[in-house]
Structure formats: C-alpha cells, structure tokens
Amino acid sequence: MTQWTSAVGASQLARQLSSQQPRPAGPGARKPPAYRALADGVRLLVLEGRVPVAARLPAERELAVALSVSRTTVAAAYEALRSEGFLESRRGAGSWTAVPAGNPLPARGLEPLPPESLGSMIDLGCAALPAPEPWLTRSIQGALEELPPYAHTHGDYPAGIPALRRMLAERYTDRGIPTMPEQIMVTTGAMGAMDAICHLFAGRGERVAVESPSYANILQLMREAGARLVPVAMEEGLGGWDLPRWRQVLRDAAPRLAYVVADFHNPTGALADDDQRRRLVDAARSAGTVLVVDETMSELHLDGGREMPRPVCAFDPAGSTVLTVGSASKAFWAGMRIGWVRASPEVIRSLVAARAYADLGTPVLEQLGVNWLLRTGGWEQAVAVRRTQARENRDALVTAVRRELPDWEFAVPDGGLTLWVRTGGLSGSRIAEVGERVGVRVPSGPRFGVDGAFEGFVRLPFTVGGPVADEAAARLAAAARLVKTGATTGTEAPRTFVA
C-alpha cells in the first residue's frame, strides 16, 4: 500500500478503542503493557474492518491526548504495528493502516456450489433460495404465450422490452417516486447493472466508496474493473451507516462513485432509516459523487408490522445523484436473471449506449416472465412465500447456531437473507477452510471486506431450515473446535445428508 485513501480522527479512534470488549485472560495471565494493549486494539479494529485498510491514523500527539496516555505509549504502539505489518509510514505523509505482507487478501467473489455436490455438502455460500413454485412455471408459460410478436423482430432491446420498462416505472411511481419508462434500463441481473454502471462511471484508477463490509461479488467486480475501493466502516450490529464517516470520506477521498445497500444490507442485515438516507444523498450530492443504491433485498422484510423507509431515490427523484439497482434474483429466484437500473433519462441513454459493446441486451423470454408476474399479481404472491421461507429458515438457523456455538455473536436482522457472525475470536478463513472438510461451505469475513478485513467473521445465509439448519450448525461447531485446537488436518469425511 503506497498511500492512504481515508482518515480516522483521534476522537473517533478513541471511541472505537473504548467500545472493544476485552478478551478474558487465562488464569495467572499478566495484564499487557499499555502500548501492547493499544497496538492490539488497533490491530483488531483493522481485522474486523471497523478501521479500513489504508486509513490514515492520527498523529501520535493527537491520539495521546484523546486517549489520555503518554505520547511514548502511542509511539511504541505505532512501532509495534509497523513491525507486524499493520501500519505503514512515510515522512510528511503520516501513518496509515495496512495488512501484513503475505496475508491472504480477498480476491474472489462467491461461486455457487455445483448441484451435484449438495448430497454431502451443506452450502451456506450463496444467499439464494430455490425457485418459488408454481409461480416460476406459470411465469414461463405466460411468457411463451406473449412471445410470438417479439419473435418477429430481431430480438435486441438494449434498454429492455417496452412493456417491462413501463411496468417497472409504474411500480416506482406507485411507491411515491414518479418515474418514466425512459428512466429504466433492464439488465442481466443486478450484476449486469453494476457492470454497466462501473464501466460508465468508474474507469480504471477511479475511487469508489463502499460500505465495509459489503457484498463480495460487487467488490470483486469493481476490483476487476480497476477501481480503487475506499471502505467506509458500518456501525456495530444493525446500526447501519456511520454518517460522519461517510461525509468525511466523500469530502476527503472525492470518490466518483459510491455503492451502498440500504435495505437489509448484505451481509449485516442493517436497514437504513429515512434520516440516514436523506443525509447520505445530501452528502453525495455536495461531493459530486454518484450514489448507487442496491435494492435487491428491499422486498424481503420478514417481520410483520414494520413500516419500511422510503426508497433512497425518493430523496433524488430526478435520478441525477442516485442510481437505483433492482433485481428479481433475491426476491424471486436467482435463476431469473433480470435486473434493472433507475436513473435520469440522460444516464439511462449513456448506459444503453455503453452496453452495446457488452451484451447488447437481456433475454426477451425472461423479461416477459417477470413482466407477467408483475402484471398478474404473481410477483406479490411469490414474494410472500419467499418471506415465509426466509423467516422460518432464519429462526431455525439462529436457534441452531446459538445452541451449538454460544460464544459466536450476531444481531438478528428483520429482513434480508444473511446473518453476519463474529466467530468468538477464531479465524473466519480457517473456519471456512476446515468447514469444507467436515461438510459445510461458508464464506469467510475477508471476502466481504477490502484488503484483509473481517478475519473474525463469517456470513450465514437463510437458505436452510429445520434439520438441515441443525446439521449445518453442528458441522460449523465441529470446524470451530478443530480450528481452536489446531487439529485442522486429517479430518473425517462428511456423511451424506439428505434434507
């Protein structure tokens, strides 16, 4: 790492350090020196992603005043962090956080497990549920009935078929955000939407601000596009966005683009409230940053009685600052590769022109299927079933993990498809590695961070329930025991488990 991309203030760092829960010491253990405790605290904040990698730390004197310790203590802590590879410094530029050379950095997204492997492996890798029937079959049948007029054309609709663009625009209008079809582009899933947006707004070397943690596949897409990711740490638990940090990053790093998940954030499950949404849009507008809002989880509110906040684009109805990305993949089925972008007509025209050199357009039959669902009410019925499945799976998984792994910590979200779990001081990467040997596939925390953050976390999706959730938690507990004892070789093969 050659330079810092964000900064952490002295008072902010002091608050984060004071919020840490000290690890219980063993019998007869000595209290570490003050400098060692400070260095360990900063190292843990980096590994958990609460302080981003490449964040400039306060000057020694500033931090000493904020912590009410001597400057010598801070200097010794910084020196310890430098020697361990967690801090880099340059005269005149200050000191910024890093990860040690040779540490495995997140370099891949999340790949689905091949279906033929599901007999012996419980797959907690992808946050996706099986197709809701009979609505999938009915939607394809309805699409086939409506296909003949389109079959007499060339079949290329770079912005999407007009009927689906109109339907999506009407749905935004019904939610209180007047929208024209010219403000909609249909894409091949949300990933297709993000790919088009990144190519238009975030060329190689451009800074992109992202939540920390964030969705692994989007982070990987941006890396491969050559973007320089600037992480912005989330609040603890389900607190959501830290607005002072966002304002600071938008002001200091001046990113061209920012990517956020406002509705049941992936992976934490946090839900941003109306005030957070309004303030982030205002901050992005002031900084000249294009704010991309991922709405793919927005319909998966699992607990009754909750009034959902207004869409983020409600605070920028013209779509000049906020680009909204939606998809059928999470709310309906991942195999239905239909996504969309809502933005200003000018932005949509630019996106359509840019995609002409990529995929030309999205399959017509699948667009007709989604349009049939939205037009007939099948969408609402299918999503209601999806909510019930996800809620039952969530409750079963939470109960099983609390029983089998009582020292793992998490907050239970009201919606979405994911549980973000702190693994009791164990390495999430090691748990993921050993988990595959005992028959459970789980993504480690670093996949959802930037440059090695979140080593002490794993993500668990609400994709299994009942006896499968019990067995998944038991296998995770077995993996955790092996990691804790260091016995990570020669583990027994997983038994076949049929749901």
Side-chain angles (χ1 to χ4, degrees):
M1 194 70 64
T2 58
Q3 61 184 35
W4 56 274
T5 57
S6 61
V8 180
S11 58
Q12 175 186 339
L13 184 57
R15 284 196 305 272
Q16 291 178 276
L17 289 165
S18 66
S19 71
Q20 289 179 333
Q21 295 295 321
R23 297 290 179 189
R30 289 185 176 183
K31 183 179 179 181
Y35 85 89
R36 184 69 261 172
L38 175 56
D40 289 345
V42 173
R43 177 176 54 80
L44 182 61
L45 289 173
V46 172
L47 289 175
E48 291 189 345
R50 296 174 61 196
V51 168
V53 174
R56 184 165 63 89
L57 294 186
E60 294 171 1
R61 190 184 304 277
E62 291 179 69
L63 187 57
V65 171
L67 294 173
S68 299
V69 299
S70 70
R71 182 178 178 182
T72 302
T73 296
V74 177
Y78 277 16
E79 181 56 36
L81 290 166
R82 273 190 290 270
S83 68
E84 295 162 6
F86 286 95
L87 198 68
E88 294 185 9
S89 304
R90 189 170 65 244
R91 186 177 298 277
S95 299
W96 56 92
T97 56
V99 290
N103 265 33
L105 301 184
R108 295 182 298 153
L110 305 173
E111 306 86 9
L113 190 69
E116 60 269 19
S117 302
L118 294 177
S120 60
M121 184 74 70
I122 297 176
D123 186 11
L124 298 180
C126 293
L129 291 163
E133 288 289 22
W135 293 277
L136 174 61
T137 298
R138 290 176 181 172
S139 69
I140 298 303
Q141 291 170 342
L144 287 171
E145 292 174 1
E146 298 174 7
L147 182 61
Y150 295 89
H152 292 294
T153 73
H154 50 63
D156 288 335
Y157 295 88
I161 63 172
L164 182 55
R165 296 178 75 194
R166 285 194 300 271
M167 183 62 67
L168 293 169
E170 288 174 11
R171 286 177 65 84
Y172 280 106
T173 300
D174 291 343
R175 294 167 69 188
I177 308 103
T179 302
M180 303 178 293
E182 291 79 8
Q183 290 180 261
I184 301 292
M185 180 178 82
V186 180
T187 62
T188 308
M191 292 295 290
M194 287 302 304
D195 183 64
I197 290 169
C198 287
H199 278 88
L200 182 62
F201 289 99
R204 187 163 295 276
E206 290 275 6
R207 289 178 175 175
V208 178
V210 295
E211 297 153 321
S212 183
S214 186
Y215 178 41
N217 285 343
I218 295 296
L219 295 180
Q220 182 62 10
L221 184 153
M222 292 176 175
R223 289 188 190 100
E224 292 183 356
R228 296 172 57 195
L229 302 184
V230 182
V232 186
M234 301 280 285
E235 293 277 13
E236 282 287 283
L238 300 176
W241 299 328
D242 185 327
L243 267 301
R245 290 189 187 184
W246 269 103
R247 282 195 294 267
Q248 182 180 21
V249 167
L250 293 174
R251 181 184 65 244
D252 295 347
R256 181 72 180 93
L257 201 68
Y259 167 78
V260 297
V261 184
D263 301 291
F264 307 119
H265 175 258
N266 186 355
T268 69
L271 177 67
D273 60 30
D274 278 324
D275 185 57
Q276 287 179 316
R277 296 168 190 237
R278 179 186 297 105
R279 290 163 62 195
L280 185 58
V281 171
D282 289 345
R285 184 182 294 115
S286 297
T289 297
V290 175
L291 182 63
V292 182
V293 179
D294 185 331
E295 278 193 337
T296 54
M297 296 280 194
S298 64
E299 297 194 62
L300 293 175
H301 42 89
L302 306 183
D303 296 321
R306 168 177 285 281
E307 182 177 350
M308 288 292 291
R310 300 175 68 194
V312 178
C313 58
F315 304 101
D316 179 51
S320 57
T321 296
V322 176
L323 277 58
T324 302
V325 172
S327 171
S329 297
K330 298 299 184 184
F332 187 74
W333 183 47
M336 187 71 87
R337 303 304 304 159
I338 298 296
W340 54 86
V341 181
R342 182 201 180 275
S344 69
E346 294 78 14
V347 169
I348 293 297
R349 285 194 293 270
S350 297
L351 287 170
V352 170
R355 81 179 295 189
Y357 305 100
D359 63 359
L360 292 178
T362 300
V364 170
L365 187 64
E366 293 183 29
Q367 293 186 68
L368 289 171
V370 171
N371 189 61
W372 183 92
L373 287 165
L374 295 173
R375 191 185 73 249
T376 63
W379 179 271
E380 284 72 20
Q381 296 174 54
V383 170
V385 170
R386 178 66 81 230
R387 291 190 191 113
T388 299
Q389 291 175 324
R391 179 171 58 250
E392 292 174 351
N393 288 353
R394 178 198 63 184
D395 296 346
L397 187 64
V398 165
T399 298
V401 172
R402 283 177 171 165
R403 180 182 63 248
E404 299 287 344
L405 293 148
D407 56 336
W408 284 21
E409 303 170 25
F410 52 85
V412 182
D414 294 335
L417 288 172
T418 57
L419 200 65
W420 186 235
V421 182
R422 181 181 277 115
T423 53
L426 300 177
S427 163
S429 297
R430 296 296 290 163
I431 289 170
E433 177 187 359
V434 178
E436 297 232 10
R437 302 181 193 173
V438 299
V440 59
R441 184 172 184 264
V442 59
S444 62
R447 289 181 178 270
F448 303 89
V450 176
D451 291 340
F454 303 109
E455 184 56 56
F457 289 81
V458 295
R459 190 195 73 172
L460 305 180
F462 310 146
T463 53
V464 296
V468 185
D470 293 335
E471 179 68 13
R475 294 185 186 187
L476 285 171
R481 287 192 296 271
L482 290 168
V483 170
K484 190 176 295 185
T485 61
T488 58
T489 59
T491 55
E492 64 180 38
R495 65 182 185 275
T496 299
F497 185 83
V498 180

